[in-house]
Amino acid sequence: MRHYQAFINGSFCNAADGRVMETINPYTAKPWATVAQCGKEDVYRAVAAARAAFDHGPWRTMTATQRGAILRNFGDLIAENADHLAAIETRDNGKLYAEMRTQLRYIPQWFYYFGGLADKIEGAVLPIDKPDMFVFTRREAVGVVAAITPWNSPLLLTTWKLAPALAAGCTMVLKPSEHTSASTIELMKLAKEAGFPDGVLNVVPGLGADVGAPLVEHPGVDKVAFTGGDIGGRHVAEAAARGFKHVTLELGGKSPQLIFDDADLESAIFGVVSGIFAASGQTCIAGSRVLVHKSVHDAFVEGFVNLAASARLGDPMDLETQVGPVTTEAQFQRVLSYMDIAREGGAECVMGGGRARVEGAEDGWFVQPTAFTKVSNDMRIAQEEVFGPLLSIIPFESDEEAFTAANDSIYGLAAGVWTQDMSRAFKASERLRAGTIWTNTYRAVSYMAPFGGFKHSGLGRESGQHAIDDYLETKTTWMSFGAKTGNPFVIG
Ligand code: NAD
C-alpha cells in the first residue's frame, strides 16, 4: 500500500507520534493507502514553518511579479500531472474519474489568473483633507492562512484558497479532509518543483478534532479559509472569533431548481439530472429541491425518471460510468436514512429509494439515484442537506409561491431557473437569495466568477478578482512634510 506523509517546511515527514490512518476506496470499501495521522505537535511545527516563511523568508522579500511567476509554474506542472492527480482523487472519494480529470485539467486556470493578479494589487494615494500631508494605502498579505477542506472535490476547493492566498503573499497550512488527503500531499511535490520556498506551503493531514481545531485556535494563524459542513463551519467560526482571526466559510446548501411553465423541459430535465446525480449528489451546489409548476409537473417527472433511470452505475475509473459510489460509509448510511425520513414524512418515491448493488463491487457504497414527489417545502428532505443522490420534487402554482419556497431555507448557496421569459429570469435573479443563480444552465463555475453563499451557506466569496481581498489587509501610511503647529494636546 502507498503511504502519504505530512509536508512541513519543505520536507515530507511522518506524524510526530508516528500514527497513521487508512484511506479507503469507496468503490471497493477497502483501504488503498495509508496517510500520516497528525496531531497538535505537527500543527505547531507547520504553523511555525509558515510563520517563519511569512515573517522572515524569501517569500516576503520576493517581488510580486516573481511570486506570480511561481504560481504560473505551479499551474503548468499541475496541467502536466492532472490525470495522475485525478486518479488519486477518484481512488479516495469515488467520484467519476471523468469529472475529477476535468476539474484537474481546469485547476491551472486559477493559478494563471491569480498569478497574473499578484502584481496588480495596488494601494491608493488619498487626496487627504489636511495640509502638508502625504497619505497612501498599501494592501499587504494577511499573513499565515489555515485552509481546511472537505472530501468532495479536494484539489479544486483547495485551489480556490491557494491561488488567491499565495498571489496575495500569504503562507499556508493546509488541512485536507481525513478521507481524501492523498492528492493534496502529492501536490506538494509539484509545489517544490514550482519553486515555492520552504514553509510557504505545509500540509498536515489528520482528523478535524486533532488537526483542524488546534490549527484554527493557534495564535500564529491570521486567517482561516474553511470549506465543509455547517457543524464544522460553526466550530471554526467560533474559534476564529475568539482569536479575532479573519475567516471565510464555504458551507452547505439545499439549492432549489425552479422550473416554470414556459421552460424548455428537455433542457431543464438535463440540468436537474446533472444537478442532483453528478458526483452522486455530493456537491455543495447539488440542486436537491426541484420546484416545478403544476402544469408541467407530471411531464417533468416522467421525462426526469426516463433520463435518470438510464444512469450507468459502476467503477468510477471507467469513463463510461455515470454514477459512482458515495465517499464514506457514514455518508452512505446517512443518505439511506434520508430515504426513510422521506417516506415517513409522506413523500412518494418515484425512482430508486435504496442501496444499489453493482456487479464486481458488492461492498461498494452505491446508492440508487432517487427522487421523491409529493414533497412539501417544510419536510425534512426539503430542508436538510442530504449530500447524496436524492431529489425532492415540489409543485407550485405562481411565481411568487416559487420564490417564497425557494427562499424558505436556512441555506442560500445556489439556485437554478428554467424559463424562456427573460423578464421572469431577471426577476428570479433579483428575488432569489443565493450566491449563484444559474439560468437555463446548472453547475457552471469559473475562476473569474465569484462563488459563495448567503445565510448558512457561508461568508465571503472565492474565485473572481475580489477573492484576493479576503487575503489582504489595508495599511494606511501618513507622512507629514509641514511644520508642527497648534495645540499638541488636541487631535485635529
Ligand atoms: P466537514 O465539515 O465534516 O469537514 C470539512 C473539513 O473540516 C475536514 O477537513 C474536517 O476534518 C474539518 N473539520 C471538521 N470539524 C472541524 C473542527 N471542529 N475544526 C476544524 N476543522 C474541522 O465536511 P465534509 O463532510 O468533509 O464535506 C461535506 C460538506 O462540505 C457539505 O456540507 C458540503 O455542502 C460542504 N461543501 C461546501 C462547499 C462550498 O463551496 N460551499 C463545497 C464543497 C463541500
Side-chain angles (χ1 to χ4, degrees):
M1 251 195 299
R2 280 220 49 187
H3 178 60
Y4 290 88
Q5 294 177 299
F7 183 74
I8 299 176
N9 205 22
S11 301
F12 290 95
C13 57
N14 285 325
D17 61 8
R19 279 194 301 170
V20 294
M21 54 190 183
E22 287 179 332
T23 188
I24 300 189
N25 180 341
Y27 178 58
T28 60
K30 295 198 173 42
W32 71 274
T34 53
V35 179
Q37 185 180 339
C38 293
K40 214 172 190 175
E41 197 176 331
D42 307 292
V43 169
Y44 283 25
R45 281 185 54 222
V47 174
R51 193 76 258 165
F54 183 76
D55 292 335
H56 314 293
W59 193 239
R60 186 180 185 79
T61 49
M62 237 178 232
T63 66
T65 306
Q66 287 169 321
R67 282 204 309 268
I70 295 177
L71 260 82
R72 290 193 295 277
N73 284 347
F74 198 30
D76 287 344
L77 289 166
I78 294 170
E80 284 165 27
N81 291 277
D83 296 5
H84 166 62
L85 291 165
I88 293 176
E89 300 219 313
T90 292
R91 229 165 275 141
D92 248 355
N93 69 6
K95 274 172 70 170
L96 301 185
Y97 176 63
E99 173 161 353
M100 301 325 287
R101 191 175 70 172
T102 305
Q103 282 188 7
L104 262 297
R105 289 181 181 180
Y106 194 27
I107 281 173
Q109 297 303 328
W110 271 264
F111 291 100
Y112 301 147
Y113 181 79
F114 285 99
L117 208 54
D119 58 7
K120 292 159 199 76
I121 301 168
E122 295 172 347
V125 173
L126 308 184
I128 204 73
D129 60 324
K130 312 209 181 307
D132 301 336
M133 287 282 193
F134 184 76
V135 182
F136 63 95
T137 60
R138 301 161 55 93
R139 302 179 71 224
E140 297 183 357
V142 78
V144 173
V145 174
I148 302 178
T149 42
W151 42 259
N152 58 336
S153 292
L155 284 183
L156 183 73
L157 299 171
T158 302
T159 294
W160 290 7
K161 302 171 186 357
L162 276 177
L166 294 169
C170 296
T171 61
M172 303 186 77
V173 179
L174 313 181
K175 185 340 219 157
S177 165
E178 51 273 39
H179 306 294
T180 56
S181 306
S183 60
T184 306
I185 294 168
E186 191 74 0
L187 186 74
M188 292 303 106
K189 291 184 188 159
L190 307 182
K192 251 183 119 63
E193 200 179 331
F196 289 106
D198 292 351
V200 171
L201 282 171
N202 306 273
V203 181
V204 193
L207 307 183
D210 296 351
V211 172
L215 181 58
V216 175
E217 280 156 20
H218 196 296
V221 169
D222 300 294
K223 182 206 154 107
V224 185
F226 176 88
T227 300
D230 11 1
I231 298 172
R234 185 170 283 116
H235 278 126
V236 166
E238 286 170 358
R242 278 194 298 278
F244 298 112
K245 294 173 204 285
H246 296 244
V247 64
T248 41
L249 303 169
E250 297 284 357
L251 306 175
K254 191 75 195 177
S255 299
Q257 294 239 47
L258 286 67
I259 303 175
F260 292 95
D261 51 3
D262 65 335
D264 169 348
L265 217 48
E266 209 176 311
S267 302
I269 288 168
F270 187 96
V272 172
V273 167
S274 120
I276 187 62
F277 295 143
S280 297
Q282 303 170 107
T283 66
C284 51
I285 49 178
S288 49
R289 244 180 346 137
V290 160
L291 300 165
V292 54
H293 192 271
K294 268 197 171 142
S295 65
V296 292
H297 175 276
D298 292 354
F300 166 77
V301 172
E302 191 187 339
F304 173 80
V305 171
N306 277 343
L307 180 62
S310 67
R312 278 187 303 275
L313 277 67
D315 182 351
M317 285 303 291
D318 182 343
L319 293 174
E320 297 297 308
T321 299
Q322 291 174 312
V323 175
V326 300
T327 300
T328 65
E329 187 171 11
Q331 188 57 23
F332 175 65
Q333 298 299 352
R334 184 182 141 83
V335 177
L336 294 180
S337 77
Y338 270 98
M339 312 269 178
D340 298 334
I341 291 169
R343 290 188 181 100
E344 283 157 19
E348 186 174 308
C349 185
V350 288
M351 69 174 291
R355 175 176 197 165
R357 302 278 171 189
V358 169
E359 211 185 312
E362 282 70 19
D363 296 332
W365 298 316
F366 283 90
V367 176
Q368 292 175 328
T370 296
F372 284 92
T373 55
K374 300 201 170 44
V375 177
S376 63
N377 199 52
D378 57 357
M379 286 184 193
R380 284 184 64 190
I381 49 159
Q383 289 292 325
E384 297 174 18
E385 185 181 45
V386 177
F387 222 58
L390 190 161
L391 181 71
S392 298
I393 303 172
I394 305 168
F396 71 83
E397 278 182 90
S398 69
D399 290 15
E400 204 49 42
E401 192 188 336
F403 297 144
T404 303
N407 288 334
D408 179 15
S409 166
I410 58 168
Y411 297 110
L413 191 59
V417 176
W418 300 88
T419 177
Q420 303 199 65
D421 174 347
M422 280 305 119
S423 61
R424 187 180 246 167
F426 277 111
K427 180 141 196 138
S429 154
E430 186 197 86
R431 291 292 305 279
L432 296 173
R433 306 242 318 133
T436 297
I437 312 292
W438 285 296
T439 306
N440 296 329
T441 185
Y442 203 77
R443 272 189 112 220
V445 294
S446 165
Y447 49 91
M448 29 173 122
F451 180 89
F454 283 37
K455 301 190 265 182
H456 286 215
S457 292
L459 284 179
R461 294 292 178 269
E462 296 189 316
S463 299
Q465 280 189 42
H466 295 292
I468 208 160
D469 294 340
D470 282 327
Y471 296 92
L472 294 167
E473 291 273 25
T474 298
K475 182 185 278 177
T476 307
T477 300
W478 292 74
M479 303 176 82
S480 165
F481 49 89
K484 308 289 170 280
T485 55
N487 182 347
F489 300 100
V490 177
I491 298 172

